[in-house]
Amino acid sequence: MDAQLIAFIGVAAGMVALPGADFTVVVRNALASRGSGVATAVGVAGGLLVHTALAVAGLAAVLVTMPVLFRTVQLLGGAYVLCLGLGALYAIRRRGPVAEGNLSSDEAGDRAPMSPGRSLRQGFLTNALNPKAPVLFLSLLPQFVPDGQPPLLRTLLLASMVVLLALVWFPAVALLVDRLGRWLRRPRTARAIEGGSGAALTALGLVLVTGPLLH
């Protein structure tokens, strides 16, 4: 394994682990159930696979250089994340106050687990509609393609490493949340986490919808 590849793995790991909409959605769904969290995590990796495939094919460059198309993706992604955040906040308000003593620690996660298909789709769309991803891949991948090596094969290898890291990181987050579930699913704790995740997703969505082009 060459030094550039090792360096790329370190940078890519930091990029994948950086908290964002993906991380927030995985944690929120993992609070409902381990299956929902893991399915969401796999969906996130699937979204990354789309971006890496576009980068390898060179289509991401087209997306970034066409402001109208890029802005469309940005608005779609922002609107989707915003809907997730507002939906979480509305669900908390609709349920009303919960007394800590009313539920056991195992019953505190009062959000019904989503089906695996819906969880998978939610994770996939959250990542696939992220307009920052094409910019990140286009700015990152070429820096780790050594002179003299076939660019296509090297880019394919680097892109595969990103997807593999996501397949390790996000399911690990879901399993950790489930492992800590007895404490995290206490009514007040679960509500605080869901409220925080809802507020974070709403803020991220607003930034994407109202902000300028990211590139």
Side-chain angles (χ1 to χ4, degrees):
M1 187 179 294
D2 58 78
Q4 276 197 323
L5 185 57
I6 295 174
F8 173 79
I9 291 173
V11 173
M15 182 181 71
V16 169
L18 189 67
D22 299 337
F23 181 87
T24 304
V25 170
V26 170
V27 170
R28 179 172 177 266
N29 289 350
L31 281 174
S33 75
R34 177 171 55 186
S36 292
V38 172
T40 305
V42 174
V44 168
L48 267 176
L49 184 61
V50 170
H51 290 298
T52 55
L54 289 175
V56 170
L59 295 180
V62 176
L63 178 66
V64 173
T65 55
M66 295 181 63
V68 174
L69 182 58
F70 189 91
R71 181 59 176 164
T72 300
V73 174
Q74 188 172 343
L75 288 173
L76 287 174
Y80 183 73
V81 172
L82 182 60
C83 286
L84 290 180
L86 292 176
L89 295 177
Y90 175 73
I92 294 174
R93 181 177 181 180
R94 184 182 57 190
R95 288 197 298 265
V98 176
E100 188 73 31
N102 287 348
L103 296 173
S104 69
S105 59
D106 291 331
E107 297 170 330
D110 51 0
R111 270 203 324 122
M114 292 187 295
S115 67
R118 184 182 174 190
S119 300
L120 186 73
R121 183 169 61 252
Q122 195 173 93
F124 175 82
L125 290 175
T126 300
N127 189 280
L129 293 176
N130 179 4
K132 294 182 181 180
V135 179
L136 287 174
F137 280 112
L138 282 177
S139 61
L140 182 64
L141 296 183
Q143 299 181 38
F144 294 91
V145 178
D147 294 334
Q149 287 199 10
L152 180 61
L153 292 178
R154 181 69 172 192
T155 304
L156 181 61
L157 173 62
L158 298 177
S160 300
M161 295 302 301
V162 175
V163 176
L164 181 60
L165 288 169
L167 281 172
V168 172
W169 170 248
F170 287 107
V173 169
L175 293 175
L176 178 61
V177 170
D178 181 70
R179 182 74 173 176
L180 299 174
R182 186 174 182 84
W183 177 75
L184 294 176
R185 292 190 181 99
R186 290 175 180 173
R188 291 178 184 173
T189 304
R191 177 149 304 191
I193 293 174
E194 188 171 0
S197 66
L201 289 171
T202 300
L204 286 169
L206 286 173
V207 168
L208 290 174
V209 170
T210 62
L213 285 172
L214 295 175
H215 68 294

